[in-house]
Amino acid sequence: MSEFVMSIGGESVSAKETFGVVNPATGEVFERAPECARDQLDAAFESARRAFATWRSDEGDRRKALLGIADVLMASAGELAPIITAEQGKPLTDANMEIFGAAIWCQYFANLETAPEVIQDDDSALVQVVRRPLGVIAAITPWNFPLLLAFWKIAPALLAGNTVVIKPSPFTPLSTLKVVELLQAALPAGVVNAVSGGDLLGAQMTSHPVPRKISFTGSVETGKKVALAAAPDLKRVTLELGGNDPAIVLDDADPVVVGKAIFSGAFSNNGQICSAIKRVYVPDSLYDEVVEVLADCAAAVKVGDGTDSESQLGPINNLPQFERVKELVADALNNGATAVTGGGAMDRPGYFFEPTILSGLSDGTRIVDEEQFGPALPVVKYHSLDDAIVRSNATNFGLSGSVWGTDVVRASAVASQLECGTAWINTHLGLAPSQPFGGCKWSGLGVENGKWGLSEFTEVQAFYQSRTADGTNPLMALLVE
Ligand code: NAD
């Protein structure tokens, strides 16, 4: 029996089966989560479907509810942050920031303007474009930011008038279960339901007849399965998938300033950010200096248990991901790369990996070409800037990228050539609730955040009120003459 419960139709619900949740700082199971049964999933979707009929009707109530959710999040930070740290691994400070970030997202959407757009207002007609909710949303999230990414979906979905069934990653189910349980006091029954389980539960959600949209964040591989599962029922999908973000350093950059900033853009959340810097291109003239600054940062950063207030980075979240980072780093070292600092797992329990800077490697090495999603960064030398731009774009990924240099006009001109959803100049990971976030190519379909993200939880309706005496449309009359 777990103290963590699912929320279905406003009720706290346990399950016959449970699964273990591992603390990545120890590698041991520390808690259990309910394994949602098929009939419980059906009940969650049915309760969301019933709640939709009322929830869609009053936008003012929905805005108030979103502000109430933000209050619950902030008031519960003391309870939620240790849960995030225990199941995800990140330091408590970062867990708190994640919770306050989720609250800020709710407040932003609570206040986002949604007025209909008037496209014609004359003697013949008043024509408006209105946005209607889709119905029930199936939300599926990954393990790197379990709460923040949940509210990137829940907040806009609710404002638009939809109801939600959310399934967190089986590696980090507890914080989502707890927060949705706490939200039940602030929301009508069935508006937000949380279920927990493995990948099979995700697949059952995407093929379920009730949801009209799947909002998914996770890997490219799973994203493609979600798109396939959605197709027979033409469910709408938003897919936020993986990335292999390049950072291009220009030859007029200050290596110390840029090296430190790139370290932060690559190693925040222990490198487990879809849009973290995953490979760095540096010109010959600055290569050694930038590598040295990055290596100094990596050697100085304090890695440890997230409950230790000294820790700046925690462990990698889960065993498969830990094994993957180990494999990619070992492959690079076997293929001629040098670990200027780090290079392997730390000699302690849990999934701790040394912050690693790799030099002397190029495209064609797995860790440059694939998404490592962990604390290891390849630094690649370039001779020609045009070539660096071509190599940056020579990938199926297209989430984000950054360009670093003193001449901002030149850096912007280079950034404009990056094929990605977000192009940063002299920074990386600059995100805001008002800013659309999404990927090109295999990094995703659609965007989250801002008015663009909100619109993905709606469908457009042309709302046409005739003002002619006989209901004729002058333009159509002209065309059929
Ligand atoms: P994942 O694809 O393995 O799992 C994500 C979620 O999908 C989990 O809840 C999982 O249980 C569920 N799932 C698995 N198989 C499914 C199926 N067949 N149908 C439906 N759901 C299924 O990803 P992950 O390992 O949890 O997360 C890491 C990946 O997420 C990385 O590639 C990272 O880049 C990406 N990510 C992207 C963004 C973004 O906004 N673009 C943000 C964070 C993470």
Side-chain angles (χ1 to χ4, degrees), residues 82 98 156 178 205 211 260 293-294 308 344 403 410 426 433 440 462:
E98 180 167 348
K178 183 54 74 182
M205 290 173 75
K260 288 180 179 169
V293 176
L294 284 166
D308 178 346
V403 180
R410 178 169 168 245
N426 290 328
C440 302

Side-chain angles (χ1 to χ4, degrees), residues 31-49:
E31 189 43 276
R32 303 199 70 79
E35 180 84 58
C36 183
R38 177 67 208 210
D39 60 327
Q40 294 177 311
L41 180 65
D42 291 342
F45 276 127
E46 182 53 25
S47 75
R49 197 188 60 74

Side-chain angles (χ1 to χ4, degrees), residues 464 472-481:
Y464 188 116
T472 53
N473 173 330
L475 178 61
M476 288 310 292
L478 210 67
L479 291 176
V480 293
E481 237 174 38

Side-chain angles (χ1 to χ4, degrees), residues 246-247 261-262 264-265 277 401-405 423-431:
I262 287 180
S264 153
I277 296 171
S402 55
V403 180
W404 304 75
W424 284 293
I425 297 112
N426 290 328
T427 189
H428 203 101
L429 296 177
L431 298 167

Side-chain angles (χ1 to χ4, degrees), residues 7-11 13 43-44 47-48 50 184 188-193:
S7 295
I8 298 177
E11 303 289 325
V13 177
S47 75
R50 276 200 308 272
Q184 296 310 309
V191 167
V192 180
N193 306 270

Side-chain angles (χ1 to χ4, degrees), residues 9 56 192 334:
R56 66 179 303 172
V192 180
N334 286 335

Side-chain angles (χ1 to χ4, degrees), residues 309-357:
S309 60
E310 303 257 292
S311 301
Q312 296 168 295
L313 301 179
I316 291 174
N317 172 255
N318 57 73
L319 185 58
Q321 187 60 26
F322 180 59
E323 294 297 338
R324 178 170 164 75
V325 174
K326 279 204 288 192
E327 181 184 314
L328 290 181
V329 170
D331 174 79
L333 297 177
N334 286 335
N335 284 288
T338 302
V340 188
T341 188
M346 292 168 76
D347 186 15
R348 56 180 288 176
Y351 311 137
F352 290 94
F353 196 88
E354 298 168 323
T356 297
I357 302 296

